Amino acid sequence: MLVFALVKGVPANTANVVSVGGILRREQMDIVMNPYDRKTVEAADYLKRQVGGKLVAVSMGPHVKIIPIMQKLFDAEVSGIDEAYILSDRKFAGADTLATSYTLASGVKKVLDIHAQAMDKLIEASRGPVEEFEKLSRDLYLSNLAPNYVYSDRPAVQETLVAKLREGKISKSDVEQELIKLREEIYSNFCVVAGMKASDGETWNTGPQAAEALSEMLNILIPHASSATGLEYYQGSLIVKRRIGQFVQTVRMQLPAVITINPDYYVSPLTLEMRREARAMSFMGKKKEPVVWTIADLNPDPTRIGLAGSPTVVGPGVDLGKPPQIKVVGKSLILTQDVEKFEVDGKAYGPFKKGDPVDSLPDQVKEKLSGKFKVFEYDDLVDELLRELK
Amino acid sequence: MSQPLVLPDTPDAASYKDVWTFTEYVEGELFQTSFEAIAAARKIASMTNMRVGTVIVGYKIPQEVIDSLIWRGADYVIVVDNLELERYNPLTYASVLAGVARERKPWAFVFVADDIGRDVAPRVAYRLKTGLATDCIDYEMGEIYQGVVGQTFKNVLAQVRPDFASRIAKIFTPRHRPQISSMRPGYFKPLPEDRSRKGEVVRVQWKVAEEELKRFQILEVSRLPDEEGVELLTADFVIGLGLGVVRRTKGEPDPKLALDLAMKINELLSSRLKVKTAIGASRALVWAEIRGLKDFITPGRQIGQTGKTISPKVYVAAGISGAIQHKVGIIRSKKIVAINTDPNAPIKDMATYMINEDLYDALPKLYESLKRRLE
């Protein structure tokens, strides 16, 4: 089974965000992996080890920033990724969640297509001479496009289709039937795992909308479940646990499915038996170079990507109202009485009320008010708070 | 001029009218936040002279639930009542909501930004090929220039949401309808119940596709015990504790002592002034799971973007530096007292008062002063 992990690069430091007209300039910031995606990769890896297959990370964003994130995921000893595809093109930029989910789904679909095309070639070859079929199987195995089940050089995996054919245990047409089944499963038996949300946008939208986008592209209804705290593969479907308000919902979802992972999710241990079963459907290993796909590789509908494909527009940002005068206990100076309007050097000040801070006033003005202010103390603070509460 | 290569406008966009909400009715319970959504819709409707409709989906929905929606501000209720819709399923519910919206064309559609709204609204928006502004805290009318079509659009909804880049962002959906958004709970007060209000009940027949029930099959739903920290939502005086409890300047930090000090202040205020008090925490403190606090400082008591939004008269942020995620949970507080050893902690941007002292010193002084003043 192909297990996809959608990974997002987010600004490392939310205090140093570069945004132009409401659009984040990710290329100008330090970018790290969305913290919610750590559990995404763990959950995806768990599924992979439970079912067999490979873990493919897909991310959209400037590749110079995303490649280091992927590199770290490749190097992870436990729960790392096997392949990475980065969707990076200026035309993808400025996407809202609708355009983002469409683009990510296009990337997922392309990975599925590549595997299906490989299988098509293999099906074709299975009808020809056995040596050529063997050679192609081996090539596809080495390029990570065919699972151990077809061909393997691992001693632990016997009973591959190639081995069985060579030993005369099965016929050519048996092989073809098996391959046709494998090809069908590419589209009917995959899973996309994503973070519940990203630490920058916090929308929760990408998972459910990626399910819609893939449903649209593959012409099959793909369910999703947001914010899963539990996830198990069980007889061709997923058992997912998640919270709905004050309720916990346990559901059985048919594959393909999209799951977003709640930070409370914990991986449960796998038995050796499960891992043995999964081995046949696993692939050779990691392809450590992330692949960068641009618009030319994905060939998406140009009206569905980037700014052009985004129905929403972000208006100019507004600062939250700041209280203009903060009063610091033991430091700020406040008036002890009301003061009428007055002038200093031709400029008008006041009127002021008892309790108003005078810290920000020019020195000449403070001089004029001398004797009428004191330091703001706990009791003054409490008086003002009690007035508010009464 | 040739049509720019953009997502096509919603056909017949001008014919979309009314403001809708999605009422969450789950396992026989009406989620009270649905009334907040109706209040938000009423605000939008008052700016646009439109009517407020709400969609409720479920099975054997009692009449008093439907009536309550009208009493709380809905002009009409669209009821989709069907055995197969008894339990919340994102596939069936998205089909219902997209279906009725496609047919009846609401101008704006407000969801609640909670587990269900966040689960189903994205699918509905995708199917209708329109925008979705999540986590809105306010709505205004506005105009916006959209660069890709080189046009300014007037009288569109400004969907106001917290945004860490610029603090508050206005999201517009100028060319697509409905303008879908989710409303962050805690920002709109439910309207008072007015039993004399009259409204229309529209019952819609719906046939659920087998496929949807097959692909997403609900096995079990169980109710969790009531959540902790609900008192935060209605309290007038809230003390929030942050990681400052583990950074005492003099002596050993004692988080349990910090909590006790806060409780002492709250007890004093509630016994003498009869104000409702509560204790919350920053996300950092909740996640730190500190021994001695763990039983009390639970995720239910988290204040901020991923926790609760509070609206007290006075909020005391003790040892909380004030990440933007925390700030969005407290902006509705009337007066904010920041206790922080760092005079430049980001919380100062929002604070009315600041105490630049260790909370282990400041809280007892605050308590003593309160005691003096309340005598």
Side-chain angles (χ1 to χ4, degrees), chain A residues 301-311, chain B residues 3-9 146-151 175-176:
Chain A
D301 177 346
T303 69
R304 299 295 306 275
I305 55 163
L307 267 180
S310 300
Chain B
Q3 174 70 24
L5 225 47
V6 295
L7 185 69
D9 293 16
Q146 193 174 18
V148 288
V149 289
Q151 241 181 296
R175 298 182 293 117
H176 300 89

mmCIF file with all atom_site columns, all heavy atoms in Angstrom, chain A residues 301-311, chain B residues 3-9 146-151 175-176:
data_model
loop_
_atom_site.group_PDB
_atom_site.id
_atom_site.type_symbol
_atom_site.label_atom_id
_atom_site.label_alt_id
_atom_site.label_comp_id
_atom_site.label_asym_id
_atom_site.label_entity_id
_atom_site.label_seq_id
_atom_site.pdbx_PDB_ins_code
_atom_site.Cartn_x
_atom_site.Cartn_y
_atom_site.Cartn_z
_atom_site.occupancy
_atom_site.B_iso_or_equiv
_atom_site.pdbx_formal_charge
_atom_site.auth_seq_id
_atom_site.auth_comp_id
_atom_site.auth_asym_id
_atom_site.auth_atom_id
_atom_site.pdbx_PDB_model_num
ATOM 1   N N   . ASP A 1 301 ? -4.717  21.774 -13.846 1.00 0.00 ? 301 ASP A N   1
ATOM 2   C CA  . ASP A 1 301 ? -5.626  22.767 -14.403 1.00 0.00 ? 301 ASP A CA  1
ATOM 3   C C   . ASP A 1 301 ? -5.156  24.138 -13.877 1.00 0.00 ? 301 ASP A C   1
ATOM 4   O O   . ASP A 1 301 ? -5.139  24.372 -12.675 1.00 0.00 ? 301 ASP A O   1
ATOM 5   C CB  . ASP A 1 301 ? -7.049  22.450 -13.900 1.00 0.00 ? 301 ASP A CB  1
ATOM 6   C CG  . ASP A 1 301 ? -8.076  23.478 -14.371 1.00 0.00 ? 301 ASP A CG  1
ATOM 7   O OD1 . ASP A 1 301 ? -7.685  24.554 -14.857 1.00 0.00 ? 301 ASP A OD1 1
ATOM 8   O OD2 . ASP A 1 301 ? -9.280  23.188 -14.231 1.00 0.00 ? 301 ASP A OD2 1
ATOM 9   N N   . PRO A 1 302 ? -4.738  25.048 -14.782 1.00 0.00 ? 302 PRO A N   1
ATOM 10  C CA  . PRO A 1 302 ? -4.167  26.319 -14.311 1.00 0.00 ? 302 PRO A CA  1
ATOM 11  C C   . PRO A 1 302 ? -5.155  27.173 -13.515 1.00 0.00 ? 302 PRO A C   1
ATOM 12  O O   . PRO A 1 302 ? -4.736  28.073 -12.787 1.00 0.00 ? 302 PRO A O   1
ATOM 13  C CB  . PRO A 1 302 ? -3.752  27.022 -15.611 1.00 0.00 ? 302 PRO A CB  1
ATOM 14  C CG  . PRO A 1 302 ? -4.509  26.346 -16.699 1.00 0.00 ? 302 PRO A CG  1
ATOM 15  C CD  . PRO A 1 302 ? -4.744  24.941 -16.239 1.00 0.00 ? 302 PRO A CD  1
ATOM 16  N N   . THR A 1 303 ? -6.438  26.891 -13.643 1.00 0.00 ? 303 THR A N   1
ATOM 17  C CA  . THR A 1 303 ? -7.415  27.697 -12.899 1.00 0.00 ? 303 THR A CA  1
ATOM 18  C C   . THR A 1 303 ? -7.634  27.153 -11.486 1.00 0.00 ? 303 THR A C   1
ATOM 19  O O   . THR A 1 303 ? -8.472  27.649 -10.756 1.00 0.00 ? 303 THR A O   1
ATOM 20  C CB  . THR A 1 303 ? -8.778  27.745 -13.618 1.00 0.00 ? 303 THR A CB  1
ATOM 21  O OG1 . THR A 1 303 ? -9.371  26.433 -13.555 1.00 0.00 ? 303 THR A OG1 1
ATOM 22  C CG2 . THR A 1 303 ? -8.622  28.143 -15.072 1.00 0.00 ? 303 THR A CG2 1
ATOM 23  N N   . ARG A 1 304 ? -6.882  26.106 -11.127 1.00 0.00 ? 304 ARG A N   1
ATOM 24  C CA  . ARG A 1 304 ? -7.109  25.514 -9.812  1.00 0.00 ? 304 ARG A CA  1
ATOM 25  C C   . ARG A 1 304 ? -5.909  25.670 -8.874  1.00 0.00 ? 304 ARG A C   1
ATOM 26  O O   . ARG A 1 304 ? -5.944  25.168 -7.752  1.00 0.00 ? 304 ARG A O   1
ATOM 27  C CB  . ARG A 1 304 ? -7.435  24.013 -9.959  1.00 0.00 ? 304 ARG A CB  1
ATOM 28  C CG  . ARG A 1 304 ? -8.699  23.697 -10.781 1.00 0.00 ? 304 ARG A CG  1
ATOM 29  C CD  . ARG A 1 304 ? -9.960  24.203 -10.116 1.00 0.00 ? 304 ARG A CD  1
ATOM 30  N NE  . ARG A 1 304 ? -10.106 23.730 -8.754  1.00 0.00 ? 304 ARG A NE  1
ATOM 31  C CZ  . ARG A 1 304 ? -10.647 22.566 -8.419  1.00 0.00 ? 304 ARG A CZ  1
ATOM 32  N NH1 . ARG A 1 304 ? -11.070 21.748 -9.348  1.00 0.00 ? 304 ARG A NH1 1
ATOM 33  N NH2 . ARG A 1 304 ? -10.762 22.223 -7.155  1.00 0.00 ? 304 ARG A NH2 1
ATOM 34  N N   . ILE A 1 305 ? -4.864  26.329 -9.333  1.00 0.00 ? 305 ILE A N   1
ATOM 35  C CA  . ILE A 1 305 ? -3.654  26.391 -8.501  1.00 0.00 ? 305 ILE A CA  1
ATOM 36  C C   . ILE A 1 305 ? -3.298  27.833 -8.134  1.00 0.00 ? 305 ILE A C   1
ATOM 37  O O   . ILE A 1 305 ? -3.717  28.778 -8.794  1.00 0.00 ? 305 ILE A O   1
ATOM 38  C CB  . ILE A 1 305 ? -2.447  25.759 -9.233  1.00 0.00 ? 305 ILE A CB  1
ATOM 39  C CG1 . ILE A 1 305 ? -2.252  26.442 -10.599 1.00 0.00 ? 305 ILE A CG1 1
ATOM 40  C CG2 . ILE A 1 305 ? -2.622  24.261 -9.391  1.00 0.00 ? 305 ILE A CG2 1
ATOM 41  C CD1 . ILE A 1 305 ? -0.901  26.206 -11.195 1.00 0.00 ? 305 ILE A CD1 1
ATOM 42  N N   . GLY A 1 306 ? -2.505  27.956 -7.080  1.00 0.00 ? 306 GLY A N   1
ATOM 43  C CA  . GLY A 1 306 ? -1.942  29.245 -6.683  1.00 0.00 ? 306 GLY A CA  1
ATOM 44  C C   . GLY A 1 306 ? -3.003  30.305 -6.447  1.00 0.00 ? 306 GLY A C   1
ATOM 45  O O   . GLY A 1 306 ? -4.152  30.007 -6.108  1.00 0.00 ? 306 GLY A O   1
ATOM 46  N N   . LEU A 1 307 ? -2.607  31.548 -6.641  1.00 0.00 ? 307 LEU A N   1
ATOM 47  C CA  . LEU A 1 307 ? -3.532  32.665 -6.430  1.00 0.00 ? 307 LEU A CA  1
ATOM 48  C C   . LEU A 1 307 ? -4.753  32.564 -7.332  1.00 0.00 ? 307 LEU A C   1
ATOM 49  O O   . LEU A 1 307 ? -5.866  32.842 -6.912  1.00 0.00 ? 307 LEU A O   1
ATOM 50  C CB  . LEU A 1 307 ? -2.809  33.985 -6.736  1.00 0.00 ? 307 LEU A CB  1
ATOM 51  C CG  . LEU A 1 307 ? -2.130  34.718 -5.592  1.00 0.00 ? 307 LEU A CG  1
ATOM 52  C CD1 . LEU A 1 307 ? -1.489  35.996 -6.113  1.00 0.00 ? 307 LEU A CD1 1
ATOM 53  C CD2 . LEU A 1 307 ? -3.137  35.052 -4.494  1.00 0.00 ? 307 LEU A CD2 1
ATOM 54  N N   . ALA A 1 308 ? -4.510  32.147 -8.600  1.00 0.00 ? 308 ALA A N   1
ATOM 55  C CA  . ALA A 1 308 ? -5.605  32.106 -9.566  1.00 0.00 ? 308 ALA A CA  1
ATOM 56  C C   . ALA A 1 308 ? -6.684  31.117 -9.147  1.00 0.00 ? 308 ALA A C   1
ATOM 57  O O   . ALA A 1 308 ? -7.865  31.326 -9.384  1.00 0.00 ? 308 ALA A O   1
ATOM 58  C CB  . ALA A 1 308 ? -5.067  31.740 -10.944 1.00 0.00 ? 308 ALA A CB  1
ATOM 59  N N   . GLY A 1 309 ? -6.280  30.037 -8.501  1.00 0.00 ? 309 GLY A N   1
ATOM 60  C CA  . GLY A 1 309 ? -7.236  29.005 -8.116  1.00 0.00 ? 309 GLY A CA  1
ATOM 61  C C   . GLY A 1 309 ? -7.794  29.192 -6.719  1.00 0.00 ? 309 GLY A C   1
ATOM 62  O O   . GLY A 1 309 ? -8.477  28.305 -6.212  1.00 0.00 ? 309 GLY A O   1
ATOM 63  N N   . SER A 1 310 ? -7.488  30.311 -6.101  1.00 0.00 ? 310 SER A N   1
ATOM 64  C CA  . SER A 1 310 ? -7.915  30.537 -4.719  1.00 0.00 ? 310 SER A CA  1
ATOM 65  C C   . SER A 1 310 ? -9.114  31.470 -4.661  1.00 0.00 ? 310 SER A C   1
ATOM 66  O O   . SER A 1 310 ? -9.008  32.629 -5.053  1.00 0.00 ? 310 SER A O   1
ATOM 67  C CB  . SER A 1 310 ? -6.769  31.151 -3.910  1.00 0.00 ? 310 SER A CB  1
ATOM 68  O OG  . SER A 1 310 ? -5.672  30.285 -3.901  1.00 0.00 ? 310 SER A OG  1
ATOM 69  N N   . PRO A 1 311 ? -10.239 30.972 -4.178  1.00 0.00 ? 311 PRO A N   1
ATOM 70  C CA  . PRO A 1 311 ? -11.393 31.866 -4.077  1.00 0.00 ? 311 PRO A CA  1
ATOM 71  C C   . PRO A 1 311 ? -11.225 32.957 -3.012  1.00 0.00 ? 311 PRO A C   1
ATOM 72  O O   . PRO A 1 311 ? -11.841 34.006 -3.117  1.00 0.00 ? 311 PRO A O   1
ATOM 73  C CB  . PRO A 1 311 ? -12.557 30.928 -3.714  1.00 0.00 ? 311 PRO A CB  1
ATOM 74  C CG  . PRO A 1 311 ? -11.937 29.655 -3.261  1.00 0.00 ? 311 PRO A CG  1
ATOM 75  C CD  . PRO A 1 311 ? -10.579 29.580 -3.870  1.00 0.00 ? 311 PRO A CD  1
ATOM 76  N N   . GLN B 2 3   ? -10.689 36.322 -20.904 1.00 0.00 ? 3   GLN B N   1
ATOM 77  C CA  . GLN B 2 3   ? -10.939 35.947 -19.504 1.00 0.00 ? 3   GLN B CA  1
ATOM 78  C C   . GLN B 2 3   ? -9.615  35.486 -18.877 1.00 0.00 ? 3   GLN B C   1
ATOM 79  O O   . GLN B 2 3   ? -8.929  34.632 -19.426 1.00 0.00 ? 3   GLN B O   1
ATOM 80  C CB  . GLN B 2 3   ? -11.978 34.815 -19.490 1.00 0.00 ? 3   GLN B CB  1
ATOM 81  C CG  . GLN B 2 3   ? -12.262 34.191 -18.147 1.00 0.00 ? 3   GLN B CG  1
ATOM 82  C CD  . GLN B 2 3   ? -13.018 35.109 -17.209 1.00 0.00 ? 3   GLN B CD  1
ATOM 83  O OE1 . GLN B 2 3   ? -13.706 36.013 -17.624 1.00 0.00 ? 3   GLN B OE1 1
ATOM 84  N NE2 . GLN B 2 3   ? -12.847 34.888 -15.915 1.00 0.00 ? 3   GLN B NE2 1
ATOM 85  N N   . PRO B 2 4   ? -9.219  36.086 -17.729 1.00 0.00 ? 4   PRO B N   1
ATOM 86  C CA  . PRO B 2 4   ? -7.981  35.592 -17.106 1.00 0.00 ? 4   PRO B CA  1
ATOM 87  C C   . PRO B 2 4   ? -8.141  34.139 -16.665 1.00 0.00 ? 4   PRO B C   1
ATOM 88  O O   . PRO B 2 4   ? -9.257  33.679 -16.397 1.00 0.00 ? 4   PRO B O   1
ATOM 89  C CB  . PRO B 2 4   ? -7.790  36.528 -15.912 1.00 0.00 ? 4   PRO B CB  1
ATOM 90  C CG  . PRO B 2 4   ? -9.109  37.185 -15.689 1.00 0.00 ? 4   PRO B CG  1
ATOM 91  C CD  . PRO B 2 4   ? -9.858  37.154 -16.979 1.00 0.00 ? 4   PRO B CD  1
ATOM 92  N N   . LEU B 2 5   ? -7.019  33.446 -16.615 1.00 0.00 ? 5   LEU B N   1
ATOM 93  C CA  . LEU B 2 5   ? -7.040  32.030 -16.269 1.00 0.00 ? 5   LEU B CA  1
ATOM 94  C C   . LEU B 2 5   ? -7.197  31.877 -14.759 1.00 0.00 ? 5   LEU B C   1
ATOM 95  O O   . LEU B 2 5   ? -6.213  31.731 -14.039 1.00 0.00 ? 5   LEU B O   1
ATOM 96  C CB  . LEU B 2 5   ? -5.734  31.394 -16.765 1.00 0.00 ? 5   LEU B CB  1
ATOM 97  C CG  . LEU B 2 5   ? -5.836  30.058 -17.480 1.00 0.00 ? 5   LEU B CG  1
ATOM 98  C CD1 . LEU B 2 5   ? -6.926  30.057 -18.533 1.00 0.00 ? 5   LEU B CD1 1
ATOM 99  C CD2 . LEU B 2 5   ? -4.503  29.708 -18.089 1.00 0.00 ? 5   LEU B CD2 1
ATOM 100 N N   . VAL B 2 6   ? -8.421  31.966 -14.289 1.00 0.00 ? 6   VAL B N   1
ATOM 101 C CA  . VAL B 2 6   ? -8.665  31.861 -12.847 1.00 0.00 ? 6   VAL B CA  1
ATOM 102 C C   . VAL B 2 6   ? -9.826  30.902 -12.584 1.00 0.00 ? 6   VAL B C   1
ATOM 103 O O   . VAL B 2 6   ? -10.570 30.563 -13.495 1.00 0.00 ? 6   VAL B O   1
ATOM 104 C CB  . VAL B 2 6   ? -9.020  33.231 -12.220 1.00 0.00 ? 6   VAL B CB  1
ATOM 105 C CG1 . VAL B 2 6   ? -7.855  34.189 -12.316 1.00 0.00 ? 6   VAL B CG1 1
ATOM 106 C CG2 . VAL B 2 6   ? -10.262 33.828 -12.861 1.00 0.00 ? 6   VAL B CG2 1
ATOM 107 N N   . LEU B 2 7   ? -9.959  30.510 -11.315 1.00 0.00 ? 7   LEU B N   1
ATOM 108 C CA  . LEU B 2 7   ? -11.096 29.685 -10.914 1.00 0.00 ? 7   LEU B CA  1
ATOM 109 C C   . LEU B 2 7   ? -12.381 30.415 -11.326 1.00 0.00 ? 7   LEU B C   1
ATOM 110 O O   . LEU B 2 7   ? -12.584 31.561 -10.939 1.00 0.00 ? 7   LEU B O   1
ATOM 111 C CB  . LEU B 2 7   ? -11.063 29.493 -9.395  1.00 0.00 ? 7   LEU B CB  1
ATOM 112 C CG  . LEU B 2 7   ? -12.108 28.562 -8.785  1.00 0.00 ? 7   LEU B CG  1
ATOM 113 C CD1 . LEU B 2 7   ? -11.847 27.119 -9.182  1.00 0.00 ? 7   LEU B CD1 1
ATOM 114 C CD2 . LEU B 2 7   ? -12.104 28.691 -7.267  1.00 0.00 ? 7   LEU B CD2 1
ATOM 115 N N   . PRO B 2 8   ? -13.228 29.789 -12.141 1.00 0.00 ? 8   PRO B N   1
ATOM 116 C CA  . PRO B 2 8   ? -14.414 30.504 -12.625 1.00 0.00 ? 8   PRO B CA  1
ATOM 117 C C   . PRO B 2 8   ? -15.299 30.995 -11.482 1.00 0.00 ? 8   PRO B C   1
ATOM 118 O O   . PRO B 2 8   ? -15.406 30.342 -10.449 1.00 0.00 ? 8   PRO B O   1
ATOM 119 C CB  . PRO B 2 8   ? -15.150 29.453 -13.458 1.00 0.00 ? 8   PRO B CB  1
ATOM 120 C CG  . PRO B 2 8   ? -14.167 28.390 -13.743 1.00 0.00 ? 8   PRO B CG  1
ATOM 121 C CD  . PRO B 2 8   ? -13.162 28.411 -12.636 1.00 0.00 ? 8   PRO B CD  1
ATOM 122 N N   . ASP B 2 9   ? -15.908 32.154 -11.676 1.00 0.00 ? 9   ASP B N   1
ATOM 123 C CA  . ASP B 2 9   ? -16.843 32.691 -10.678 1.00 0.00 ? 9   ASP B CA  1
ATOM 124 C C   . ASP B 2 9   ? -17.994 31.714 -10.470 1.00 0.00 ? 9   ASP B C   1
ATOM 125 O O   . ASP B 2 9   ? -18.331 30.945 -11.372 1.00 0.00 ? 9   ASP B O   1
ATOM 126 C CB  . ASP B 2 9   ? -17.473 33.997 -11.185 1.00 0.00 ? 9   ASP B CB  1
ATOM 127 C CG  . ASP B 2 9   ? -16.457 35.115 -11.293 1.00 0.00 ? 9   ASP B CG  1
ATOM 128 O OD1 . ASP B 2 9   ? -15.247 34.823 -11.277 1.00 0.00 ? 9   ASP B OD1 1
ATOM 129 O OD2 . ASP B 2 9   ? -16.882 36.270 -11.409 1.00 0.00 ? 9   ASP B OD2 1
ATOM 130 N N   . GLN B 2 146 ? -9.004  42.283 -5.913  1.00 0.00 ? 146 GLN B N   1
ATOM 131 C CA  . GLN B 2 146 ? -8.437  40.966 -6.186  1.00 0.00 ? 146 GLN B CA  1
ATOM 132 C C   . GLN B 2 146 ? -7.535  41.063 -7.407  1.00 0.00 ? 146 GLN B C   1
ATOM 133 O O   . GLN B 2 146 ? -7.986  41.294 -8.531  1.00 0.00 ? 146 GLN B O   1
ATOM 134 C CB  . GLN B 2 146 ? -9.547  39.927 -6.415  1.00 0.00 ? 146 GLN B CB  1
ATOM 135 C CG  . GLN B 2 146 ? -8.985  38.508 -6.389  1.00 0.00 ? 146 GLN B CG  1
ATOM 136 C CD  . GLN B 2 146 ? -10.063 37.440 -6.471  1.00 0.00 ? 146 GLN B CD  1
ATOM 137 O OE1 . GLN B 2 146 ? -11.184 37.699 -6.861  1.00 0.00 ? 146 GLN B OE1 1
ATOM 138 N NE2 . GLN B 2 146 ? -9.694  36.215 -6.116  1.00 0.00 ? 146 GLN B NE2 1
ATOM 139 N N   . GLY B 2 147 ? -6.239  40.894 -7.143  1.00 0.00 ? 147 GLY B N   1
ATOM 140 C CA  . GLY B 2 147 ? -5.229  41.110 -8.178  1.00 0.00 ? 147 GLY B CA  1
ATOM 141 C C   . GLY B 2 147 ? -5.384  40.220 -9.399  1.00 0.00 ? 147 GLY B C   1
ATOM 142 O O   . GLY B 2 147 ? -5.210  40.686 -10.522 1.00 0.00 ? 147 GLY B O   1
ATOM 143 N N   . VAL B 2 148 ? -5.725  38.948 -9.193  1.00 0.00 ? 148 VAL B N   1
ATOM 144 C CA  . VAL B 2 148 ? -5.744  38.022 -10.342 1.00 0.00 ? 148 VAL B CA  1
ATOM 145 C C   . VAL B 2 148 ? -6.804  38.385 -11.374 1.00 0.00 ? 148 VAL B C   1
ATOM 146 O O   . VAL B 2 148 ? -6.680  38.023 -12.543 1.00 0.00 ? 148 VAL B O   1
ATOM 147 C CB  . VAL B 2 148 ? -5.913  36.532 -9.926  1.00 0.00 ? 148 VAL B CB  1
ATOM 148 C CG1 . VAL B 2 148 ? -4.637  36.013 -9.286  1.00 0.00 ? 148 VAL B CG1 1
ATOM 149 C CG2 . VAL B 2 148 ? -7.112  36.333 -9.027  1.00 0.00 ? 148 VAL B CG2 1
ATOM 150 N N   . VAL B 2 149 ? -7.849  39.102 -10.964 1.00 0.00 ? 149 VAL B N   1
ATOM 151 C CA  . VAL B 2 149 ? -8.832  39.539 -11.956 1.00 0.00 ? 149 VAL B CA  1
ATOM 152 C C   . VAL B 2 149 ? -8.784  41.061 -12.132 1.00 0.00 ? 149 VAL B C   1
ATOM 153 O O   . VAL B 2 149 ? -9.511  41.615 -12.953 1.00 0.00 ? 149 VAL B O   1
ATOM 154 C CB  . VAL B 2 149 ? -10.280 39.098 -11.599 1.00 0.00 ? 149 VAL B CB  1
ATOM 155 C CG1 . VAL B 2 149 ? -10.432 37.612 -11.773 1.00 0.00 ? 149 VAL B CG1 1
ATOM 156 C CG2 . VAL B 2 149 ? -10.657 39.522 -10.192 1.00 0.00 ? 149 VAL B CG2 1
ATOM 157 N N   . GLY B 2 150 ? -7.927  41.721 -11.356 1.00 0.00 ? 150 GLY B N   1
ATOM 158 C CA  . GLY B 2 150 ? -7.750  43.162 -11.488 1.00 0.00 ? 150 GLY B CA  1
ATOM 159 C C   . GLY B 2 150 ? -9.003  43.960 -11.221 1.00 0.00 ? 150 GLY B C   1
ATOM 160 O O   . GLY B 2 150 ? -9.306  44.930 -11.921 1.00 0.00 ? 150 GLY B O   1
ATOM 161 N N   . GLN B 2 151 ? -9.750  43.548 -10.201 1.00 0.00 ? 151 GLN B N   1
ATOM 162 C CA  . GLN B 2 151 ? -11.027 44.196 -9.951  1.00 0.00 ? 151 GLN B CA  1
ATOM 163 C C   . GLN B 2 151 ? -11.235 44.426 -8.463  1.00 0.00 ? 151 GLN B C   1
ATOM 164 O O   . GLN B 2 151 ? -10.749 43.641 -7.641  1.00 0.00 ? 151 GLN B O   1
ATOM 165 C CB  . GLN B 2 151 ? -12.145 43.247 -10.423 1.00 0.00 ? 151 GLN B CB  1
ATOM 166 C CG  . GLN B 2 151 ? -13.034 43.797 -11.512 1.00 0.00 ? 151 GLN B CG  1
ATOM 167 C CD  . GLN B 2 151 ? -14.100 42.755 -11.851 1.00 0.00 ? 151 GLN B CD  1
ATOM 168 O OE1 . GLN B 2 151 ? -13.782 41.670 -12.333 1.00 0.00 ? 151 GLN B OE1 1
ATOM 169 N NE2 . GLN B 2 151 ? -15.342 43.072 -11.568 1.00 0.00 ? 151 GLN B NE2 1
ATOM 170 N N   . ARG B 2 175 ? -15.642 36.496 -5.333  1.00 0.00 ? 175 ARG B N   1
ATOM 171 C CA  . ARG B 2 175 ? -16.332 36.077 -6.566  1.00 0.00 ? 175 ARG B CA  1
ATOM 172 C C   . ARG B 2 175 ? -17.084 34.758 -6.409  1.00 0.00 ? 175 ARG B C   1
ATOM 173 O O   . ARG B 2 175 ? -17.655 34.264 -7.359  1.00 0.00 ? 175 ARG B O   1
ATOM 174 C CB  . ARG B 2 175 ? -15.306 35.941 -7.705  1.00 0.00 ? 175 ARG B CB  1
ATOM 175 C CG  . ARG B 2 175 ? -14.582 37.239 -8.051  1.00 0.00 ? 175 ARG B CG  1
ATOM 176 C CD  . ARG B 2 175 ? -13.621 37.041 -9.214  1.00 0.00 ? 175 ARG B CD  1
ATOM 177 N NE  . ARG B 2 175 ? -12.519 36.173 -8.847  1.00 0.00 ? 175 ARG B NE  1
ATOM 178 C CZ  . ARG B 2 175 ? -12.278 34.998 -9.412  1.00 0.00 ? 175 ARG B CZ  1
ATOM 179 N NH1 . ARG B 2 175 ? -13.050 34.547 -10.378 1.00 0.00 ? 175 ARG B NH1 1
ATOM 180 N NH2 . ARG B 2 175 ? -11.268 34.264 -9.007  1.00 0.00 ? 175 ARG B NH2 1
ATOM 181 N N   . HIS B 2 176 ? -17.038 34.184 -5.231  1.00 0.00 ? 176 HIS B N   1
ATOM 182 C CA  . HIS B 2 176 ? -17.630 32.858 -5.070  1.00 0.00 ? 176 HIS B CA  1
ATOM 183 C C   . HIS B 2 176 ? -18.658 32.854 -3.952  1.00 0.00 ? 176 HIS B C   1
ATOM 184 O O   . HIS B 2 176 ? -18.505 33.534 -2.960  1.00 0.00 ? 176 HIS B O   1
ATOM 185 C CB  . HIS B 2 176 ? -16.525 31.824 -4.850  1.00 0.00 ? 176 HIS B CB  1
ATOM 186 C CG  . HIS B 2 176 ? -15.559 31.771 -5.996  1.00 0.00 ? 176 HIS B CG  1
ATOM 187 N ND1 . HIS B 2 176 ? -14.442 32.565 -6.048  1.00 0.00 ? 176 HIS B ND1 1
ATOM 188 C CD2 . HIS B 2 176 ? -15.596 31.069 -7.155  1.00 0.00 ? 176 HIS B CD2 1
ATOM 189 C CE1 . HIS B 2 176 ? -13.809 32.342 -7.191  1.00 0.00 ? 176 HIS B CE1 1
ATOM 190 N NE2 . HIS B 2 176 ? -14.484 31.440 -7.881  1.00 0.00 ? 176 HIS B NE2 1
#
